[in-house]
Amino acid sequence: MSIKITDKAHCCGCEACAQICVHNAISMEEDNEGFRYPVTDSTLCVGCGLCEHVCQYNEMPPMHTNEKYVFGGYHADHEVRFQSTSGGAFSAIADSFCDENYVIFGAEARGMDVLHSFIEDKTELYKFRKSKYSQSVIGESYKQAKSFLKEGKKVLFSGTPCQIAALRCYLGKTSQDNLLTVEVVCEGVPSPLYVRKWDQHLRKCHGCGIASIDYRYTGKAFMQKGKWDFQQVRVEYQGTKKPLIKDRWFNPFWSIWLNHLMSRPSCYECMFTTAERGADISLGDLWGVHLYCPELYGGNGGSSLIVCNTVKGRSVVEKAQQIMYGHELAFEEALRYQSPMRKRISKNPNRKRFMEDLQSDMTYGSINKKWAKKPSIKLLWQKYVWGNRQKVFFWNIRNRNK
């Protein structure tokens, strides 16, 4: 028997089946929407069934359901916090777990592509910082992680929830005593076709394409460096042209993605949108910080939510607190503001029409004009006039006068 995808909603593209095949009979190939799926070469397949056995849709590894330990806060090193998407929690966790003889796996942006890779020196952690908003190509990461574990090394493996589940399926009975899994709270992965069309547009207009994208850039927003509420999209061009910097709410990517028009089919039926998690640690932005824990707002520099799902995860995070500012939070309260941990994204009824336009000869500008929505006055007011920072400011005034 070999892996067969009869329903694309039941394949998250984790690549475990391709890596488990010792005969190299399975390759990952893009479909017309740009998402990667396994394809079997029948001339190489021996019908061993390993690919089906390792598929999380056939045999999901057990989820962690014990009482959670939740911590909110941010890295004490301002520069680490500035270089991170939110509060720098991943760096603090890596520093605390990886003392010696370690390997760290994560998603690394290389141009428009995102690839999973590993480092053996924490000074290279910068490669894994920042949100990528693209499904990473796993390559041989599961196979490499297994090899390192057998050598007795500590392995920190970070990825999306489905990638963590795939790793656990792949490892099987391999000892995981030295493994720490860290998942990012995910809200679905978009089609890479959109960014490619964006690249084509820039090449036509400026003669050079995209070298890199920082989807949540905080370097120069309203003349303020490192402000979490003023994140922008920053595109580095190939060559010497100055980078393109645009407010995130005026970037059509955000409108189209947040309206769930171009997510992978499996994301609409995600199996990981519950309080029960598969990783030792779950990481996300500390959404709602200005409402239930404004003392962790930290001057609008970004703050992280850390959910420990295992004893191992909690022990690492408790050690990481030595280089972080923050405190324990109630899980139920934090969960209120983390919709990806409570419910699946809804499938936009116009998704099929949008994807047809994306695959057609329609230009980048025409697609955005048809499908992207401009930010409402209400949104702009909430973000830039009466935003989180004002609410936190008055909260501080009120508490100071008590």
Side-chain angles (χ1 to χ4, degrees):
M1 296 178 65
S2 62
I3 197 83
K4 291 182 180 179
I5 307 302
T6 56
D7 185 347
K8 289 185 176 180
H10 295 163
C11 176
C12 59
C14 70
E15 305 186 42
C17 56
Q19 284 192 52
I20 201 70
C21 182
V22 297
H23 302 283
N24 297 317
I26 301 175
S27 59
M28 300 297 295
E29 299 181 13
E30 285 191 1
D31 69 351
N32 60 342
E33 294 184 345
F35 297 113
R36 289 156 52 85
Y37 294 90
V39 176
T40 303
D41 184 340
S42 59
T43 64
L44 297 176
C45 178
V46 298
C48 66
L50 279 176
C51 53
E52 290 203 331
H53 178 71
V54 81
C55 178
Q56 57 190 276
Y57 285 87
N58 294 332
E59 192 171 338
M60 174 65 70
M63 305 292 271
H64 305 301
T65 58
N66 295 333
E67 184 177 347
K68 311 290 184 179
Y69 173 74
V70 183
F71 182 87
Y74 47 85
H75 204 292
D77 187 319
H78 173 75
E79 193 59 30
V80 171
R81 189 181 178 199
F82 170 67
Q83 293 173 4
S84 305
T85 297
S86 51
F90 176 72
S91 296
I93 290 167
D95 274 331
S96 302
F97 178 72
C98 302
D99 45 11
E100 58 182 12
N101 197 27
Y102 62 85
V103 181
I104 304 171
F105 286 83
E108 176 185 0
R110 297 180 187 175
M112 294 189 298
D113 300 320
V114 180
L115 310 175
H116 243 72
S117 62
F118 68 85
I119 59 174
E120 297 180 86
D121 186 340
K122 287 185 288 187
T123 61
E124 297 183 288
L125 267 175
Y126 65 88
K127 294 180 179 180
F128 302 147
R129 293 181 182 133
K130 290 287 186 178
S131 297
K132 311 303 189 298
Y133 293 95
S134 179
Q135 186 170 25
S136 64
V137 175
I138 285 291
E140 295 191 337
S141 293
Y142 306 143
K143 189 182 300 183
Q144 292 165 339
K146 184 175 183 177
S147 178
F148 285 130
L149 287 171
K150 286 185 174 181
E151 292 174 13
K153 290 192 174 185
K154 282 187 170 183
V155 175
L156 190 162
F157 198 102
S158 62
T160 59
C162 55
Q163 290 172 337
I164 298 300
L167 172 66
R168 295 175 65 200
C169 287
Y170 181 89
L171 291 176
K173 296 181 180 180
T174 302
S175 174
Q176 299 179 28
D177 291 344
N178 286 338
L179 173 68
L180 180 73
T181 53
V182 180
E183 65 180 14
V184 293
V185 178
C186 178
E187 199 170 349
V189 292
S191 169
L193 296 185
Y194 181 86
V195 173
R196 292 174 193 169
K197 185 146 288 194
W198 189 7
D199 179 69
Q200 292 171 3
H201 170 76
L202 294 177
R203 288 179 184 277
K204 183 178 180 180
C205 294
H206 305 293
C208 51
I210 296 173
S212 65
I213 305 175
D214 184 345
Y215 287 94
R216 297 175 64 179
Y217 174 67
T218 58
K220 189 178 180 182
F222 289 94
M223 305 303 290
Q224 301 179 74
K225 180 179 178 181
K227 298 303 183 183
W228 197 29
D229 289 344
F230 296 124
Q231 291 177 343
Q232 301 168 304
V233 175
R234 185 179 193 268
V235 175
E236 285 278 359
Y237 290 102
Q238 296 170 343
T240 58
K241 185 176 175 59
K242 290 184 178 179
L244 167 68
I245 301 176
K246 196 169 187 178
D247 184 283
R248 67 181 298 190
W249 299 112
F250 287 91
N251 187 325
F253 169 87
W254 291 107
S255 173
I256 293 171
W257 178 62
L258 289 173
N259 278 291
H260 308 149
L261 285 164
M262 59 176 173
S263 296
R264 187 182 179 100
S266 59
C267 296
Y268 302 106
E269 297 186 21
C270 180
M271 300 183 291
F272 304 97
T273 52
T274 66
E276 292 74 35
R277 313 302 296 177
D280 295 303
I281 299 171
S282 304
L283 293 182
D285 290 82
L286 188 55
W287 301 131
V289 60
H290 62 292
L291 298 174
Y292 74 101
C293 50
E295 70 280 2
L296 300 180
Y297 189 63
N300 194 14
S303 197
S304 299
L305 173 70
I306 308 174
V307 180
C308 303
N309 306 299
T310 64
V311 173
K312 183 193 298 184
R314 177 168 181 165
S315 65
V316 174
V317 170
E318 287 179 339
K319 184 178 179 182
Q321 291 176 28
Q322 299 174 20
I323 53 175
M324 295 188 71
Y325 171 82
H327 58 72
E328 184 178 358
L329 298 170
F331 178 62
E332 294 75 16
E333 191 75 12
L335 196 63
R336 288 177 57 194
Y337 303 96
Q338 287 292 337
S339 61
M341 294 180 72
R342 292 185 287 104
K343 59 182 180 181
R344 300 166 175 169
I345 61 172
S346 56
K347 188 173 182 179
N348 193 308
N350 293 317
R351 181 187 183 278
K352 182 179 179 181
R353 290 173 52 214
F354 170 80
M355 293 305 299
E356 288 173 349
D357 286 345
L358 192 60
Q359 296 166 51
S360 73
D361 293 332
M362 185 178 290
T363 65
Y364 173 77
S366 297
I367 286 175
N368 293 334
K369 185 176 181 181
K370 181 177 179 179
W371 294 104
K373 297 179 180 179
K374 294 181 180 179
S376 65
I377 297 298
K378 179 180 179 181
L379 173 66
L380 296 178
W381 174 270
Q382 291 175 336
K383 295 297 179 182
Y384 302 119
V385 181
W386 182 244
N388 298 344
R389 62 202 182 285
Q390 284 85 6
K391 296 172 185 176
V392 173
F393 173 78
F394 284 105
W395 180 87
N396 289 327
I397 292 294
R398 184 171 63 251
N399 283 271
R400 197 176 298 134
N401 294 331
K402 284 184 178 179

